Amino acid sequence: MIRGAILRDVIEEQHEQAPQPSAAGLAEPMRSRWSASVYDDRHRLTDTEVETLLRAAQWAPSAGNSQPWLFFVCVPGTANHDRLVATLSRGNSSWVPRASGVFLTAAHVHSGEDADAPAYSDYALYDVGQAAAHLTLQARSMGLHAHQFAGFDHHVLAESLGVPATHRLLTGIAVGVAGDPGDVDERTAARDHRDRERRPLEEWVRHGRYEA
Ligand SMILES: Cc1cc2nc3c(=O)[nH]c(=O)nc-3n(C[C@H](O)[C@H](O)[C@H](O)COP(=O)(O)O)c2cc1C
C-alpha cells in the first residue's frame, strides 16, 4: 500500500500534461501516461527494468495465446541502438536517441517465407499492439515515460536487424525519464507542451446499430 502511495506521488510529480480533464477518472498508470519527448540522456535502464518491461509484453493476451511478437532491445552504446538511430526520421532523430532505451516491435505476419504464404494469425497486428500497450503502461507504473513511434526507415532497419521475411517490423517504444528542456532544441522542448486532444466518445461509440 505504502509503495503504491509513493509511486502515485512520483507519478503526480512527473506528469506535466496528463491527466487531461476526460482522463481524470482513469486508474494509474493510464491517467498520467503521455508521450514525452524530452529525455534525460544520462539515465540508463537497469537489466532488471528491461526484463520487467519485456515481461509486461510477455503477459499480454493474444489470440489463441499465439504471442506473435518479436522485440529488439536497443539501448545506447549497443549495435542495435546504432542501427535504429541511423534510420530515424528527421523529426524523431531529435528526441529518440536521448531515451534510455527503445524496444522495437515486430509481428509474425506470414506463416512461411514466401510472399504468398498464408497469414500466421488474423490478429497478429492487434496482439503486438496490445503487447506494446502493456509495456508502455508498465513503464509508466515504474515512474518512466514511454513514447511509441513509427517514424524510421522500416525497410533499412529490418534488413540491418535481420528481421525474417515471416515478420513485419512495426514500431519503436522509447522509454526513459524526463529530461531538462534546456538540454534540447526549442522545437523538441515544445513537443512536450502540445495540446493533447481526443475525439469525443459520441464520434466513435455506438450503443446500438451503426448510424452515421
Ligand atoms: C503506431 C504509432 C506511431 C507513432 N509514431 C510517432 C512518431 O513517429 N513520432 C512521434 O513523435 N510520435 C509518434 N507516435 C506518438 C503519437 O503521436 C501519440 O501517441 C499521440 O499523438 C497521442 O499522444 P499521447 O500519447 O501523448 O496521448 C506514434 C504513436 C503510435 C501508436
Side-chain angles (χ1 to χ4, degrees):
M1 277 305 277
I2 292 171
R3 220 170 147 256
I6 292 170
L7 188 57
R8 268 196 306 282
D9 287 348
V10 169
I11 285 173
E12 290 300 332
E13 264 173 40
Q14 287 193 347
H15 74 62
E16 293 160 33
Q17 297 222 335
Q20 302 296 308
S22 67
L26 300 182
E28 288 295 356
M30 282 152 320
R31 188 168 69 93
S32 69
R33 184 212 65 80
W34 58 284
S35 298
S37 297
V38 178
Y39 288 96
D40 180 350
D41 64 356
R42 291 159 308 179
H43 177 264
R44 292 284 175 270
L45 294 170
T46 65
D47 290 348
T48 306
E49 286 172 324
V50 169
E51 182 176 334
T52 303
L53 291 165
L54 291 167
R55 295 233 176 261
Q58 180 181 37
W59 282 98
S62 60
N65 201 19
S66 52
Q67 306 165 62
W69 44 71
L70 182 60
F71 279 67
F72 290 89
V73 178
C74 310
V75 290
T78 65
N80 270 5
H81 195 259
D82 292 346
R83 291 182 178 108
L84 165 67
V85 169
T87 65
L88 289 171
S89 65
R90 204 151 62 116
N92 289 340
S93 61
S94 65
W95 64 271
V96 173
R98 296 180 56 87
S100 313
V102 174
F103 298 84
L104 292 169
T105 71
H108 193 168
V109 287
H110 301 298
S111 55
E113 300 261 321
D114 297 337
D116 59 354
Y120 174 74
S121 158
D122 286 343
Y123 300 99
L125 301 180
Y126 181 99
D127 291 343
V128 177
Q130 186 148 224
H134 276 225
L135 190 156
T136 298
L137 291 172
Q138 177 65 34
R140 191 71 205 115
S141 76
M142 290 160 65
L144 300 162
H145 282 293
H147 186 156
Q148 302 182 14
F149 63 94
F152 53 87
D153 188 323
H154 286 71
H155 182 73
V156 171
L157 187 53
E159 188 98 1
S160 74
L161 288 168
V163 176
T166 46
H167 286 63
R168 180 173 150 198
L169 189 59
L170 292 173
T171 57
I173 312 168
V175 175
V177 298
D180 181 346
D183 288 346
V184 301
D185 62 274
E186 264 178 41
R187 212 175 151 148
T188 304
R191 294 170 64 101
D192 278 1
H193 298 284
R194 282 195 293 217
D195 285 343
R196 294 178 67 240
E197 290 174 351
R198 291 300 192 261
R199 291 165 59 207
L201 298 188
E202 309 79 73
E203 245 181 70
W204 52 274
V205 178
R206 299 291 180 274
H207 292 279
R209 277 171 52 79
Y210 180 83
E211 279 170 38

